[in-house]
Amino acid sequence: MTSYRLPAELDPARPAADSPLTIRVDGEPVTGAAGQTIAGVLLGAGRRQWRTTADGAPRGVFCGIGVCFDCLVEVNGLRDVRACLRRAQDGDVVARQGGSEATA
Ligand code: FES
C-alpha cells in the first residue's frame, strides 16, 4: 500500500476529473485536488511527517479525525491548525511547526 494518490483517471472510485489546487508548504508548491484536506494533499504528495514534538520526534497524521493533534500546521499565518480537518484551498500557505515553537 502506498500513501501516494492515484491520478483521477486511474482511480476506479473517482471517474470524474479533479479540480486541481496548489498550496505552498514551506515555500514549495504542492498540488492536490479540491475537496482534500491539507493532510490529504501532503500525504498524496508522499509526505508523511511535517511536525516535530518538543523532543524532536516526527509527527504527521495519526488519528486522521481531529483528536490527537499530531498533524498541526500553520495555515495562512494561523498556528495550530489540524491538517486532517482543514480542507485545502487553492493558494493556502502552509508552514511546518516545530516542537519548541508549538503552543499547547
Ligand atoms: S491526525 Fe489526529 S488531529 Fe489530525
Side-chain angles (χ1 to χ4, degrees):
M1 186 168 156
T2 178
S3 62
Y4 291 94
R5 186 170 177 275
L6 284 175
E9 64 274 10
L10 298 178
D11 186 345
R14 179 179 281 191
D18 288 334
S19 296
L21 59 81
T22 301
I23 63 174
R24 297 195 76 79
V25 181
D26 295 330
E28 184 179 324
V30 179
T31 58
Q36 286 186 295
T37 62
I38 288 174
V41 172
L42 292 171
L43 290 170
R47 297 174 184 224
R48 293 196 287 186
Q49 55 196 39
W50 50 81
R51 183 178 80 81
T52 55
T53 63
D55 57 358
R59 293 290 185 266
V61 170
F62 181 67
C63 72
I65 57 172
V67 175
C68 73
F69 291 75
D70 268 3
C71 63
L72 295 179
V73 289
E74 181 178 310
V75 181
N76 301 328
L78 180 63
R79 294 182 56 81
D80 301 332
V81 174
R82 287 170 284 180
C84 70
L85 295 182
R86 170 64 155 72
R87 197 161 289 203
Q89 301 294 315
D90 192 43
D92 276 345
V93 177
V94 177
R96 299 179 201 214
Q97 290 187 198
S100 60
E101 307 163 8
T103 58

